[in-house]
Amino acid sequence: TGTGAGGEGTRGAWLGGAGPAPTRSPPGNYRTQLWDKQSESFLPSTPGLGMHVEVKDPDGKVVLSRQYGSEGRFTFTSHTPGEHQICLHSNSTRMALFAGGKLRVHLDIQVGEHTNNYPEIAAKDKLTELQLRARQLLDQVEQIQKEQNYQRYREERFRMTSESTNQRVLWWSIAQTIILILTGIWQMRHLKSFFEAKKLV
């Protein structure tokens, strides 16, 4: 759950699944409150205010870009594991009337087994208490597995970044050495030419 205040927008992050198959995100709920200068407090609701929700995957690709109302619910499908950037901002001309004002955005995203309504699942599938508990444990194990896969994915990216950085440092050191050698040779030839011109050699 997150809360942001500002005229432009608020940002958050969601941890996507680490598998190759597309992963549907947990639903996101948001609610906005506009600052009222007269009462010096946030209004309980802001009817008529438009909000634009944009979600980008770790590669910067837009996976969701849609216009909503002052409060709403959204989901998106992720094809890439990692942290997803969620940006909510107002594109309503009404905000121009509140120059210098504030807009509070309440963002709530539930992840893991918390997204499942287990009483509803038990009633729908006619599960016993023991079966429902086993279902919860399986969902928890699945979430742990996703988190482990994501940690391995991050470790792999970090290793690739480290190797790339080390390689760049190595090539830079080699380039510096070559430049120093060439500079030394040039200085020796220049000094030799100088002494020969002065007939000192």
Side-chain angles (χ1 to χ4, degrees), residues 58-70:
D59 298 328
K61 180 181 178 181
V62 177
V63 295
L64 175 66
S65 180
R66 185 176 174 184
Q67 176 72 20
Y68 292 89
S70 60

Side-chain angles (χ1 to χ4, degrees), residues 129-154:
E129 184 177 352
L130 182 61
Q131 290 174 327
L132 181 62
R133 183 56 183 166
R135 175 73 175 269
Q136 291 176 330
L137 292 175
L138 288 175
D139 290 341
Q140 291 176 359
V141 170
E142 182 181 0
Q143 184 63 26
I144 292 173
Q145 184 180 9
K146 287 183 178 180
E147 181 66 24
Q148 289 176 340
N149 291 338
Y150 177 67
Q151 293 299 330
R152 283 195 290 267
Y153 171 77
R154 288 189 61 184

Side-chain angles (χ1 to χ4, degrees), residues 11-199:
R11 297 177 183 269
W14 173 73
L15 223 58
T23 303
R24 191 164 184 81
S25 76
N29 299 282
Y30 72 90
R31 179 172 60 89
T32 60
Q33 290 181 289
L34 195 63
W35 176 259
D36 185 17
K37 293 183 179 180
Q38 295 182 351
S39 61
E40 295 187 350
S41 62
F42 287 98
L43 298 175
S45 63
T46 53
L49 182 66
M51 292 296 294
H52 186 81
V53 179
E54 184 179 81
V55 181
K56 293 182 180 180
D57 64 12
D59 298 328
K61 180 181 178 181
V62 177
V63 295
L64 175 66
S65 180
R66 185 176 174 184
Q67 176 72 20
Y68 292 89
S70 60
E71 59 181 286
R73 179 185 179 96
F74 63 90
T75 59
F76 59 91
T77 301
S78 169
H79 295 266
T80 307
E83 293 184 358
H84 290 62
Q85 185 183 80
I86 302 174
C87 181
L88 294 89
H89 59 88
S90 171
N91 60 355
S92 175
T93 55
R94 183 182 172 203
M95 286 299 295
L97 301 176
F98 298 90
K102 299 178 182 179
L103 179 66
R104 174 180 288 172
V105 179
H106 302 268
L107 178 63
D108 182 18
I109 299 180
Q110 293 183 337
V111 296
E113 69 277 6
H114 302 291
T115 60
N116 297 326
N117 189 342
Y118 288 106
E120 181 179 340
I121 294 175
K124 181 180 178 181
D125 298 339
K126 298 180 180 180
L127 302 177
T128 64
E129 184 177 352
L130 182 61
Q131 290 174 327
L132 181 62
R133 183 56 183 166
R135 175 73 175 269
Q136 291 176 330
L137 292 175
L138 288 175
D139 290 341
Q140 291 176 359
V141 170
E142 182 181 0
Q143 184 63 26
I144 292 173
Q145 184 180 9
K146 287 183 178 180
E147 181 66 24
Q148 289 176 340
N149 291 338
Y150 177 67
Q151 293 299 330
R152 283 195 290 267
Y153 171 77
R154 288 189 61 184
E155 182 180 354
E156 182 181 355
R157 288 189 61 182
F158 178 76
R159 179 179 56 80
M160 293 175 61
T161 302
S162 299
E163 291 178 355
S164 176
T165 303
N166 292 335
Q167 189 175 12
R168 291 179 181 179
V169 170
L170 175 62
W171 283 112
W172 175 245
S173 300
I174 294 175
Q176 281 184 319
T177 304
I178 293 174
I179 291 173
L180 287 174
I181 293 174
L182 293 176
T183 302
I185 294 174
W186 179 82
Q187 286 180 339
M188 291 177 61
R189 292 174 62 88
H190 180 72
L191 288 175
K192 183 178 180 181
S193 300
F194 174 77
F195 290 139
E196 288 178 349
K198 294 295 182 180
K199 298 181 179 180

